[in-house]
Amino acid sequence: MERKGADMSFPPVILALPDWIQECCGDPARSFPEAGERLRLAVELARRNVERDTGGPFGAAIFDLATFRLVAAGVNRVIPESCSVAHAETMAIMLAQKRLGTFDLRSAGDFELATSAEPCAMCYGALPWSGIRRLVYGATREDVQAIGFDEGDKPPDWARALEARGIEVVHALLRAEAREALECYRNRNGRIY
């Protein structure tokens, strides 16, 4: 059954990040040698996404571990893009892979995904195939669920499963700062989806 008013052609899918991303990320030559600095950028992306009303309270960034330079940044764009998979992590992964010309980041070096919150079930599932070598996150699953988000089902030993695949996991770094972006979203009556 065709939906009323729906265009049944297949146009290209284009997911856009907000215009302010560039100003937030700063100088492309900048190095972020400390894990806390890298995660702080992801948390700042989440905070700005809420404050500028351009998406959900999640930010992510991928860094080259050889140079500690930013490769790609992403924010949650589920509602503005009408796309359930437009999470901050997937947006950053897609952009990094596109920029580097590979579907497997491992083929281009060692990369870290810094994300403002523990990955949901979908983003967790994407990590092994993305080619990242290290995951660093701020807010925990419990923090995200406390404001009403459904994080989906992950195995209880999810981090160990990633580590068995060669992905180091750094848990709850800067957790208090990361929770602030979530609280800001709740205080602004952000839509829970």
Side-chain angles (χ1 to χ4, degrees), residues 76-155:
N76 181 285
R77 299 285 288 161
V78 169
I79 293 173
E81 294 293 337
S82 299
C83 181
S84 64
V85 298
H87 289 200
E89 297 92 336
T90 56
M91 296 292 283
I93 290 167
M94 289 186 291
L95 184 55
Q97 291 172 337
K98 194 70 169 169
R99 281 198 175 141
L100 296 172
T102 180
F103 62 87
D104 179 6
L105 295 175
R106 286 179 193 228
S107 68
D110 292 333
F111 297 90
E112 173 186 270
L113 171 64
T115 180
S116 64
E118 178 181 327
C120 69
M122 179 185 68
C123 294
Y124 162 73
L127 296 178
W129 289 277
S130 71
I132 65 153
R133 296 272 189 193
R134 189 167 194 249
L135 167 68
V136 179
Y137 71 87
T140 65
R141 171 188 184 97
E142 293 76 22
D143 298 330
V144 175
Q145 289 177 327
I147 69 163
F149 281 97
D150 177 0
E151 291 298 275
D153 298 324
K154 285 190 314 200

Side-chain angles (χ1 to χ4, degrees), residues 14-44:
I14 298 170
L15 299 175
L17 291 172
D19 294 339
W20 56 261
I21 288 278
Q22 290 297 88
E23 74 185 45
C24 185
C25 293
D27 179 4
R30 179 180 171 197
S31 180
F32 296 79
E34 301 298 323
E37 289 178 274
R38 296 188 297 273
L39 184 58
R40 193 163 277 119
L41 176 61
V43 171
E44 177 66 11

